[in-house]
Amino acid sequence: MPTIVKYILVFFISMVPIIELRGAVPIGVTVFGLNEYITLAVCVIGNLIPVPFIYLFGRKILLWGSTWKFGSGFFKWVLQKGEKAGKKLTANSKKSGAFIALMLFVGIPIPGTGAWTGTLAASMLDFGMKKSAKAVMAGVVIAGIIMFVISLLAKAGITSIADLF
């Protein structure tokens, strides 16, 4: 597979909810063997592209979908997840401020705390588009750096194990 196709794949993988940059960086670095720095940049950009759309339209689409006869359970589940994340952000923001709480929520790479969930939670809490976008962007960069380091360690470990054989 040509290198440019691999970069396009990790770009799109980083846009996918739940997987996001957290999965795309390790795939690019360890599976595809791409340049680590370029992979990080491509994944950060890919992870950030959906943010304004999620902020502006995410809640509206979820509310609309939750009224459907079929499939409403999924939309209701996502709404509940966003509201739960919003409550968590509100509780944390009392301690450290909404910006830092949202940034850390997005920046800590554990399941369910990425740009999609963070942006949806921020839109539900009316944090404001500009403030939310900056916090999510900072969080994505933090998560990207963490995943970059983990990917480099994994790549080194895989290489060391391969050298044994």
Side-chain angles (χ1 to χ4, degrees):
M1 180 181 332
T3 304
I4 189 70
V5 173
K6 293 176 183 178
Y7 281 117
I8 292 169
L9 281 172
V10 295
F11 176 79
F12 283 114
I13 290 169
S14 67
M15 290 181 169
V16 175
I18 301 170
I19 300 171
E20 300 185 33
L21 165 139
R22 292 149 169 75
V25 171
I27 289 170
V29 172
T30 61
V31 176
F32 292 154
L34 297 172
N35 177 284
E36 298 89 357
Y37 298 101
I38 296 172
T39 300
L40 177 61
V42 166
C43 291
V44 166
I45 292 166
N47 201 183
L48 289 173
I49 286 178
V51 168
F53 301 103
I54 298 164
Y55 188 87
L56 294 172
F57 305 113
R59 183 182 170 109
K60 293 173 186 167
I61 291 169
L62 292 171
L63 288 170
W64 175 62
S66 69
T67 64
W68 294 355
K69 188 173 183 177
F70 300 104
S72 64
F74 170 75
F75 291 98
K76 289 176 183 175
W77 175 78
V78 174
L79 275 169
Q80 289 172 346
K81 187 160 182 56
E83 289 171 2
K84 183 179 175 185
K87 289 176 184 174
K88 193 180 223 182
L89 280 173
T90 302
N92 289 338
S93 69
K94 291 176 182 172
K95 299 175 192 169
S96 60
F99 181 89
I100 292 172
L102 180 58
M103 178 185 69
L104 293 175
F105 180 82
V106 173
I108 298 171
I110 56 175
T113 64
W116 281 76
T117 308
T119 304
L120 184 59
S123 73
M124 290 182 172
L125 296 172
D126 294 322
F127 272 12
M129 173 76 158
K130 195 173 182 180
K131 183 178 180 181
S132 298
K134 287 179 182 178
V136 169
M137 185 181 301
V140 166
V141 170
I142 291 168
I145 292 168
I146 292 169
M147 293 313 300
F148 175 80
V149 170
I150 291 170
S151 297
L152 290 179
L153 293 171
K155 185 177 179 180
I158 291 167
T159 304
S160 297
I161 292 170
D163 289 344
L164 293 174
F165 300 100

